[in-house]
Amino acid sequence: MASSSQRPYIIYRPPPGWGFWSNFSCVLQGLDHADRHGLVPVIDMERHPTRYNEDEPVDGVTNAWEYYFHQPSSLTLAEALDRQPLDNAGDVTGPFSSNYHVVVPPPEVLARGRELVRKYVRLKPDILAKLDAFTSGNTSKDMLGVHVRGTDMRKKRPPYHPIPSTPETYLEQARLLDQDFGYSRVFLACDEQDTLELFHEHFGDRLLTLPAHRSTMDQLDDPAEWDYKWLFDGKRHHHRYLLGLEVLLDALMLSRCGHLACGASNVSQAAMYFAAESQIVHPVTPLWMCPSVDEVSVGKAYMADAPSLSRVPSAAVLRGHIKELHELLEYAENGRAAAQQNSPEVRHHMEAVASINRESIQLREKIAKLQREKSQLLAKLEKLQGRLEVQAKTIKMLKNRISTLINRWTRLGWGLMPWSKPSWRKQPFK
């Protein structure tokens, strides 16, 4: 029961948030602050909706937190808003929301998370009933829970998120752990249909799974897009609510397993917060971590601190790792090339180069035109030179004829004159 003297503290994440358990880690961050400062926490996923909010109420509820959980105290959101509440201003930074890249949270964070879950996180009765109905008759203490993260984390490779290992790696680790511990059952939580089929081929009837929406890699949209339409735009009634319910039940079921094999994920971390301290975690080491395309590599530093695989992998699994890393390298190189092309500075340079190329093409066209005109002029000049040579020959011939005529007429003229020829000139013309 919230005291009337305690001030409400509204916790929200700026819409639309991200994954279900990513949103939950932000709630834990707010619960930690409220608990340390004597405030009454109230979660608001109504005025600040998430990707899991439906357009219409679910069982009369419009606050997505209350689809699955009760409010941490008896105070409702409407009552909190009437009591001059404080809020987190959408700030969700802190140890609970920033440890998504590790397989197991630091001991102090894990212990505090379990304390906050026990104190404030209250599941709706129908959620508990679904979970209890599934676990009825299944002994969970000697059960291995396996969480395999795939889809967008393998294909889209979001920056600063660990790239999960291959499904074959998870299967081999589960098989080797099963040989060592002799589990009664294996529970699998995964988001890819191919992974489910892979595990079923090996474990058969010993494999337990919950009904859930699972995707295939070819259903994912373009890696450059981040709207997650391929996941959230389903045709089921209340599809978004059901996505949240399914991943909630998966994590709760993982929390009831005595052993947990997992990589770095908010889903498996949530399972640890709900689990007993006796649960044994077997890390499945991520392959790599990518930075933003315009920043320096962080993968080597990340892998230096990552835990080793619980069991030694086979040569076949290592070959699969190499293939996956080759695809990752190609993806990273293409991403950097695309980012450079989209950079304002690079675009400016590319536009300048394109402008120079256009001017160069125009100049080449002008040069070609001038060369054609030059050839035409040279042809005309050659033709004129030919004409001039003909005219020069004609003029020379005319000069010779004129000279001959003048000599003839001169001789004739001298012969007709009555006087004698001058003594000093015998022949006036030759």
Side-chain angles (χ1 to χ4, degrees):
M1 181 69 66
S3 169
S4 59
S5 63
Q6 289 180 298
R7 197 165 184 184
Y9 181 70
I10 295 178
I11 302 166
Y12 70 91
R13 185 179 195 177
W18 284 102
F20 185 93
W21 290 111
S22 174
N23 294 337
F24 182 85
S25 69
C26 297
V27 170
L28 274 186
Q29 196 61 55
L31 292 174
D32 181 58
H33 178 86
D35 188 68
R36 294 181 187 277
H37 293 84
L39 302 170
V40 182
V42 179
I43 291 89
D44 184 1
M45 293 183 180
E46 180 177 341
R47 298 180 307 155
H48 307 280
T50 70
R51 298 176 190 272
Y52 298 88
N53 284 68
E54 293 287 354
D55 295 332
E56 58 186 25
V58 176
D59 294 330
V61 175
T62 53
N63 188 337
W65 176 262
E66 296 176 10
Y67 291 171
Y68 319 101
F69 306 96
H70 291 294
Q71 285 291 350
S73 72
S74 59
L75 201 63
T76 67
L77 177 59
E79 292 169 343
L81 293 173
D82 287 338
R83 293 173 54 175
Q84 296 182 332
L86 299 172
D87 63 52
N88 66 341
D91 183 7
V92 295
T93 57
F96 293 104
S97 59
S98 61
N99 276 309
Y100 56 84
H101 60 283
V102 300
V103 177
V104 182
E108 66 279 4
V109 176
L110 181 57
R112 178 61 173 163
R114 285 171 172 166
E115 178 186 355
L116 293 170
V117 166
R118 286 193 294 267
K119 185 174 182 179
Y120 291 108
V121 179
R122 302 185 298 144
L123 289 161
K124 288 285 187 74
D126 61 311
I127 304 294
L128 284 171
K130 288 182 174 67
L131 187 64
D132 292 338
F134 182 76
T135 56
S136 177
N138 297 315
T139 304
S140 57
K141 290 184 179 180
D142 64 345
M143 186 186 300
L144 172 65
V146 183
H147 176 241
V148 183
R149 185 68 168 90
T151 57
D152 58 312
M153 289 297 166
R154 290 184 61 206
K155 183 176 180 179
K156 289 176 172 289
R157 292 125 179 169
Y160 301 106
H161 283 68
I163 308 301
S165 197
T166 61
E168 290 76 12
T169 305
Y170 283 90
L171 174 62
E172 184 179 72
Q173 292 295 298
R175 181 177 57 79
L176 294 173
L177 289 169
D178 185 37
Q179 291 176 2
D180 291 344
F181 293 97
Y183 303 113
S184 61
R185 307 295 289 269
V186 174
F187 174 74
L188 173 66
C190 65
D191 52 4
E192 284 187 35
Q193 183 62 32
D194 292 344
T195 302
L196 174 59
E197 295 172 1
L198 182 69
F199 271 70
H200 190 267
E201 287 178 5
H202 181 79
F203 290 106
D205 293 339
R206 293 176 60 212
L207 184 70
L208 292 176
T209 58
L210 284 164
H213 172 83
R214 294 182 175 90
S215 305
T216 58
M217 292 295 277
D218 58 1
Q219 289 177 316
L220 273 67
D221 51 21
D222 190 333
E225 301 297 331
W226 292 97
D227 52 18
Y228 283 83
K229 290 182 179 180
W230 58 271
L231 177 61
F232 287 98
D233 287 359
K235 296 182 180 180
R236 297 183 296 176
H237 180 61
H238 286 167
H239 174 70
R240 294 176 178 238
Y241 157 75
L242 290 174
L243 287 176
L245 175 63
E246 289 159 0
V247 74
L248 168 62
L249 291 174
D250 269 347
L252 293 175
M253 188 61 203
L254 290 171
S255 74
R256 294 191 175 189
C257 296
H259 291 235
L260 174 61
C262 61
S265 168
N266 284 310
V267 177
S268 52
Q269 285 192 17
M272 295 176 207
Y273 291 136
F274 281 88
E277 286 79 357
S278 59
Q279 185 183 65
I280 300 173
V281 177
H282 304 279
V284 181
T285 315
L287 289 179
W288 198 251
M289 178 187 282
C290 293
S292 298
V293 291
D294 57 348
E295 296 184 8
V296 298
S297 175
V298 295
K300 187 175 181 180
Y302 170 73
M303 295 304 297
D305 294 330
S308 301
L309 282 169
S310 297
R311 298 297 184 270
V312 178
S314 65
V317 163
L318 291 177
R319 285 194 294 271
H321 288 188
I322 292 173
K323 180 181 178 182
E324 197 88 354
L325 288 170
H326 284 172
E327 294 178 359
L328 175 61
L329 179 60
E330 181 181 35
Y331 175 84
E333 290 174 342
N334 291 338
R336 288 185 183 275
Q340 288 177 352
Q341 291 175 359
N342 292 328
S343 166
E345 182 178 354
V346 172
R347 281 203 306 271
H348 173 73
H349 289 303
M350 292 183 66
E351 289 172 359
V353 170
S355 176
I356 292 172
N357 288 337
R358 287 193 297 270
E359 292 177 0
S360 176
I361 292 172
Q362 292 173 354
L363 286 173
R364 285 197 296 269
E365 290 175 350
K366 288 181 179 179
I367 290 171
K369 183 179 179 181
L370 290 173
Q371 286 177 338
R372 288 193 299 271
E373 291 177 353
K374 177 183 176 182
S375 299
Q376 293 173 356
L377 289 173
L378 288 174
K380 289 181 179 180
L381 181 60
E382 185 177 355
K383 189 175 181 179
L384 289 173
Q385 285 177 340
R387 290 180 179 178
L388 287 174
E389 289 177 358
V390 172
Q391 290 176 356
K393 291 179 180 178
T394 302
I395 291 171
K396 185 177 181 180
M397 181 187 68
L398 290 174
K399 283 183 176 180
N400 290 335
R401 288 182 178 179
I402 290 171
S403 178
T404 301
L405 288 173
I406 291 173
N407 283 332
R408 288 177 180 176
W409 280 107
T410 302
R411 289 192 184 96
L412 179 61
W414 279 108
L416 295 174
M417 287 185 179
W419 55 80
S420 299
K421 297 178 181 177
S423 59
W424 52 270
R425 182 87 180 243
K426 294 181 178 179
Q427 295 181 356
F429 296 99
K430 290 185 180 180

